Amino acid sequence: MDQGKLLKKPAGYAVLGTMGFLFFFCCLTGRDLAAEGNILWTGAYLVRTLGLSLAAGAALGGLVCVLFYRMAGSGGAALEAGAASGKRWGGWLWARASGRSPGRKALGGLVVLFLAWLPGFLAYYPAICAYDMPIQTGQLMAGIYIDHHPIAHTLLLKGAVLLGENVFGNINAGIGCYALVQMAFLASSFAFGIWCLCRRRTRRIWLVLVALSGMLYPFHHYMSISVTKDTIFTAFFILQVMSLLELILGQEEWGEFPRGRLWGIYFFSTVGMILFRNNGKYAFAVFLVLNLAAFLFGRKRRAVWGRLFLLSAAAFLAGSAALSGIYRAVGGQQGDRREMLSLPIQQLARVMVYHGGVDVLPEDDGTMEEKDKNLVDDFILNQAYRNYRPDFTDPVKSNVNTSVVRYRAGEFLSAYLGLFAQYPGDYVNAALAVNAGYLYPGDVTHAFVNAQEGQAAGGGYAQTRWDEGTLEEWGIHKDSRWPGLYAVMEEWADGNKYLDLPVLKYLFVPGVWVWLYLLLLGWLLLNRRFSRCLPLGIIFGYFLTLLLGPTVQLRYIYPMMAVFPFFLPAAWPMRRTGALEDKGKQAGGQNDR
């Protein structure tokens, strides 16, 4: 490859070195918090931590940068050779599994994935009714819809309940039908990702590996049958990110965006993303800002980015309008916005137990001013800050009086910023501790957030615990059709067995995914493939909303886990040439133009 087409080496080293610094900083602070429970941000500690992070980060970033430049300079020859070595058996398996056209391969992938996940459905029949499902079911039974949980998803549950009551005479059967439809929808989004890779002419061995990961990755088996908004959101997330990437790659090849179904899929999935997670619109807003910046400063393709911005803005407005319309149609009630205050809640609670003189910790120095303590007492009721858990906001959050923020905003903001100026280290510690699972690959606290003492099994990272008493009152109960498999899957999930896997455990822990995406971002920047970075705006926008959330959970990080196997080979192709050099031979490509 022409080296002149790559980012200048000083800029490349700066980009990868910065990522290396952030990686080691999160690892060092995550390790220290896990070992000590608290970090004293003294001058000596800052110098040591920042120095080690800079040195190790520069070394790692430099090593990765050299590797990337060599790979780019050779046109990916090493990767091509590795892919070619598996072409024969990979091509044989894939061709016989699903035919040779992109459409047939995608359809074959859908069927294979659905069948692969079906045993889990039989084991947990009618579904895994964990997470927020009991709360949402209570809302629909009472006919009261609160938008703290997406009303669109609550209405889906209502449809399942009505189907069970009126068609099968059994609500359990209705929930089972819901789980099957959800499985099919998630498998369809995976199949769309496979279709996109086929259009990119991705090597067959990589298609096989992507399909095998979908079939064998254990969390797909649990999440595909978990009655939670996050699974539906994940399917929309995959459709949205991959359709956007396909639009951009098509524009690079043909000089204009493909038309037709890709526009529709992108628009439809954006609306769905907004409807099925309350933070979906905020994640997409980050992308809109980046898209607008591309339009304002990308002079060579200003018309292209302008058209994409108009389409994206229209989808955003349509999703917001649909959200508002559903809310009005069912007479929805506004939920408490305390979820958005998760990080400030953690920070104020930590300051109270370390400096409020409340006698919870021996380290409490009692240096807080009385007026600040009074405001915190008004904000966190019943001295719930005594229940402070570094990894989980809910023990404190459930006792928060949000009217203090709403009606005494000036006073609250003044106290919040004043305490930050006085105790910056505690604010940083609170943020790092609650997000350790997302930032530190060595973290294990994420696996035990739901494993509370005195509660039933099923509180592992892949949560399977039901509120059985409440759900049984509504006719929803466990009725496993494969008890032996249920016992095996339950033991694996509840025991967090993935943590026992040497090396392979890093395919499961949440703390690796942002770094994998950052590596991909570094590769794209180094190769000056700036337009391919745009879909990462949605992914990083979503990740930023997670950092402001209440804790680390599988269902929150799952969308990033699920889309990565499709996004990586599409954005970082094994071939240096375009996917559709001969447009006349690609009827599907012509239909999308």
Side-chain angles (χ1 to χ4, degrees):
M1 182 178 180
D2 183 4
Q3 291 290 324
K5 294 182 179 179
L6 301 176
L7 203 64
K8 297 298 183 183
K9 287 190 176 181
Y13 284 114
V15 169
L16 273 300
T18 300
M19 293 179 184
F21 164 75
L22 292 174
F23 174 74
F24 277 102
F25 178 81
C26 290
C27 287
L28 290 173
T29 54
R31 182 202 62 185
D32 292 343
L33 272 174
E36 305 295 335
N38 192 39
I39 295 176
L40 296 178
W41 294 89
T42 62
Y45 181 83
L46 273 173
V47 169
R48 178 168 60 87
T49 302
L50 294 178
L52 285 173
S53 299
L54 281 171
L60 179 62
L63 180 63
V64 173
C65 200
V66 169
L67 178 63
F68 277 5
Y69 273 107
R70 288 189 177 181
M71 290 169 57
S74 64
L79 291 173
E80 280 283 290
S85 68
K87 181 178 178 181
R88 180 175 300 175
W89 73 266
W92 184 90
L93 175 60
W94 191 258
R96 282 151 185 77
S98 52
R100 295 185 180 277
S101 71
R104 291 181 66 188
K105 287 179 180 178
L107 179 60
L110 189 159
V111 173
V112 168
L113 289 169
F114 185 87
L115 292 177
W117 300 340
L118 191 59
F121 166 75
L122 296 175
Y124 279 95
Y125 182 85
I128 296 176
C129 301
Y131 302 114
D132 301 319
M133 194 270 193
I135 298 173
Q136 291 177 270
T137 305
Q139 289 182 17
L140 67 90
M141 292 294 184
I144 300 173
Y145 300 94
I146 302 173
D147 69 354
H148 179 74
H149 304 293
I151 294 176
H153 185 251
T154 304
L155 292 176
L156 278 184
L157 292 181
K158 182 176 183 179
V161 169
L162 293 177
L163 178 68
E165 286 181 333
N166 300 324
V167 176
F168 300 107
N170 181 348
I171 293 180
N172 239 29
I175 299 298
C177 287
Y178 167 91
L180 287 174
V181 171
Q182 178 176 271
M183 282 173 56
F185 184 41
L186 185 62
S188 297
S189 71
F190 280 38
F192 177 73
I194 292 170
W195 180 80
C196 291
L197 295 182
C198 292
R199 281 171 53 86
R200 295 295 108 216
R201 280 180 150 182
T202 305
R203 286 288 185 184
R204 290 172 183 172
I205 183 61
W206 293 101
L207 292 172
V208 172
L209 291 175
V210 167
L212 288 176
S213 73
M215 294 167 59
L216 302 177
Y217 193 62
F219 292 152
H220 295 326
H221 294 260
Y222 292 97
M223 291 303 299
S224 65
I225 55 173
S226 291
V227 183
T228 174
K229 59 186 180 289
D230 305 273
T231 302
I232 304 292
F233 174 82
T234 296
F236 281 121
F237 194 77
I238 295 171
L239 292 173
Q240 182 192 43
V241 170
M242 293 307 297
S243 61
L244 174 58
L245 181 61
E246 189 64 24
L247 286 169
I248 290 172
L249 293 176
Q251 188 279 328
E252 286 182 356
E253 292 164 352
W254 305 333
E256 62 181 54
F257 281 125
R259 302 182 185 277
R261 53 190 163 185
L262 281 174
W263 289 86
I265 292 172
Y266 177 62
F267 190 95
F268 165 74
S269 57
T270 299
V271 172
M273 176 193 181
I274 292 172
L275 288 178
F276 281 88
R277 268 204 71 91
N278 291 334
N279 59 342
K281 57 186 176 183
Y282 303 113
F284 193 66
V286 173
F287 165 73
L288 283 176
V289 171
L290 295 176
N291 190 177
L292 181 59
F295 168 70
L296 294 175
F297 302 106
R299 296 179 180 179
K300 293 182 179 179
R301 297 181 181 178
R302 178 166 291 176
V304 169
W305 305 133
R307 290 172 61 193
L308 179 60
F309 180 78
L310 290 177
L311 172 65
S312 301
F316 181 82
L317 293 174
S320 300
L323 196 65
S324 178
I326 292 174
Y327 181 89
R328 290 189 175 90
V330 301
Q333 299 180 14
Q334 188 175 25
D336 201 318
R337 297 302 186 226
R338 68 188 62 201
E339 197 83 7
M340 301 173 66
L341 298 169
S342 293
L343 189 56
I345 289 169
Q346 286 293 90
Q347 291 168 329
L348 292 176
R350 189 178 185 101
V351 166
M352 281 294 286
V353 298
Y354 276 93
H355 306 287
V358 295
D359 297 326
V360 173
L361 298 174
E363 300 94 323
D364 186 350
D365 58 17
T367 56
M368 278 183 68
E369 295 184 13
E370 200 65 31
K371 63 181 181 61
D372 291 329
K373 289 195 288 185
N374 290 337
L375 183 73
V376 173
D377 276 324
D378 290 342
F379 178 57
I380 301 176
L381 302 176
N382 305 317
Q383 296 186 342
Y385 43 75
R386 293 177 174 275
N387 303 324
Y388 171 71
R389 277 183 56 180
D391 60 341
F392 197 21
T393 306
D394 281 15
V396 179
K397 187 178 67 179
S398 58
N399 288 274
V400 164
N401 176 18
T402 56
S403 64
V404 172
V405 179
R406 185 174 182 181
Y407 298 110
R408 298 164 59 187
E411 186 182 355
F412 177 83
L413 186 61
S414 176
Y416 178 77
L417 295 178
L419 288 170
F420 172 64
Q422 191 174 357
Y423 307 110
D426 293 282
Y427 273 46
V428 173
N429 287 343
L432 290 174
V434 77
N435 290 307
Y438 293 137
L439 300 172
Y440 173 40
D443 171 76
V444 295
T445 61
H446 68 271
F448 304 98
V449 168
N450 300 302
Q452 300 175 24
E453 187 176 351
Q455 291 195 354
Y461 184 43
Q463 188 174 350
T464 60
R465 182 169 56 223
W466 293 28
D467 184 355
E468 295 184 54
T470 300
L471 291 178
E472 283 181 358
E473 293 179 4
W474 296 322
I476 303 171
H477 59 275
K478 294 181 179 179
D479 188 17
S480 175
R481 305 304 169 87
W482 196 337
L485 180 60
Y486 170 83
V488 172
M489 292 183 68
E490 190 71 2
E491 181 182 4
W492 193 89
D494 189 55
N496 295 305
K497 297 297 185 181
Y498 66 95
L499 291 175
D500 298 333
L501 301 173
V503 182
L504 286 178
K505 69 180 180 181
Y506 294 109
L507 295 174
F508 300 94
V509 298
V512 304
W513 295 97
V514 68
W515 306 112
L516 292 177
Y517 279 107
L518 283 172
L519 274 178
L520 177 57
L521 175 63
W523 169 261
L524 295 176
L525 291 175
L526 184 145
N527 284 273
R528 293 183 178 275
R529 298 187 181 228
F530 302 125
S531 61
R532 301 186 187 201
C533 298
L534 270 179
L536 288 172
I538 299 174
I539 295 170
F540 286 125
Y542 176 71
F543 184 75
L544 287 175
T545 67
L546 298 187
L547 295 181
L548 300 175
T551 190
V552 176
Q553 294 228 6
L554 168 62
R555 60 179 177 137
Y556 298 157
I557 197 68
Y558 183 63
M560 293 178 64
M561 290 179 169
V563 77
F564 186 80
F566 306 106
F567 191 86
L568 174 65
W572 187 351
M574 297 301 105
R575 293 173 180 262
R576 302 298 301 182
T577 56
L580 302 176
E581 298 113 329
D582 186 356
K583 293 181 282 184
K585 294 181 181 180
Q586 298 289 339
Q590 291 284 4
N591 291 337
D592 282 344
R593 291 190 60 190

